[in-house]
Amino acid sequence: MAPKRKSDEGEAKESKEKVKKQDPLEGLTPAKFTEGAKALSFSGPDNLKIKAEPLQYKTGTLGWSASIKMSVKIKVDGKEREVPVTGNLNLSIPKSKMKFAEAADDEEKETGESGDEEEEPKPKKKKQSEKSGNQEKEQKKSEKSEGQEKEKKKKSDKEKKK
């Protein structure tokens, strides 16, 4: 076998650089996904069958989801029982949310239109900690005023007795 020449190594590097991996998410949008994706079926023991439907999660990620309710037989203290179980199957496409955002940006650049114009700005939601903090303050205020009113009533009752 002949030794490798430096020119052979250089050609190999060039050919590797030319061959780029194609991004499987290129141009993916939720509309294209829901149009082209099919339900996925899974089966398991005891005739278990699950059908996961394609969807866009609330987060914007694309994937499939299924849930199932059924009973499973188990032995407890030597007696067989049926217990209800609930199962969830979530399959998400990694980075699909980011790709969708990129595709929307590209579309906006091409058409010159922004989809944001139609939407009204949503009011800021208070964080749970802010809500509970405000609720605590209000509760303390009402407790304080109730306590003050009780004190006043006690004083007036004492004065009436005198």
Side-chain angles (χ1 to χ4, degrees):
M1 191 163 129
K4 287 186 176 181
R5 295 180 294 168
K6 287 185 179 181
S7 63
D8 290 343
E9 289 175 7
E11 288 174 14
K13 285 182 182 178
E14 285 178 23
S15 65
K16 285 182 182 178
E17 288 174 7
K18 287 180 184 177
V19 178
K20 287 186 177 181
K21 288 185 180 178
Q22 185 177 359
D23 184 359
L25 303 180
E26 188 69 35
L28 183 66
T29 64
K32 289 178 182 177
F33 174 75
T34 49
E35 182 182 306
K38 295 179 181 174
L40 302 176
S41 297
F42 299 91
S43 59
D46 299 326
N47 295 321
L48 173 67
K49 292 184 181 179
I50 300 173
K51 187 175 181 181
E53 298 292 336
L55 63 87
Q56 181 178 11
Y57 292 93
K58 290 179 183 179
T59 62
T61 301
L62 303 174
W64 292 261
S65 181
S67 62
I68 186 170
K69 290 182 181 183
M70 58 185 280
S71 296
V72 175
K73 291 180 182 178
I74 61 170
K75 283 191 177 182
V76 178
D77 297 330
K79 296 179 182 176
E80 194 171 89
R81 297 182 184 180
E82 276 194 23
V83 294
V85 295
T86 302
N88 295 301
L89 174 65
N90 295 308
L91 303 165
S92 59
I93 301 173
K95 300 180 183 177
S96 60
K97 179 174 150 180
M98 292 187 303
K99 282 294 178 184
F100 167 60
E102 288 173 11
D105 288 344
D106 292 345
E107 187 176 302
E108 185 178 316
K109 287 175 188 173
E110 288 173 9
T111 61
E113 294 178 12
S114 172
D116 297 339
E117 294 168 3
E118 294 177 17
E119 291 184 29
E120 291 183 24
K122 295 178 183 175
K124 274 190 173 180
K125 292 183 180 179
K126 287 186 179 180
K127 294 179 183 175
Q128 187 62 35
S129 59
E130 289 176 9
K131 285 182 183 177
S132 61
N134 289 341
Q135 289 172 346
E136 286 178 27
K137 288 178 185 176
E138 291 297 321
Q139 188 175 359
K140 286 179 182 178
K141 282 182 185 177
S142 71
E143 287 174 359
K144 190 175 182 181
S145 63
E146 285 175 14
Q148 289 173 345
E149 286 188 30
K150 285 181 183 178
E151 286 295 319
K152 285 180 184 177
K153 192 173 184 180
K154 284 182 184 178
K155 285 181 182 178
S156 66
D157 288 344
K158 284 181 183 178
E159 287 177 10
K160 285 180 184 177
K161 288 181 182 179
K162 289 180 182 180

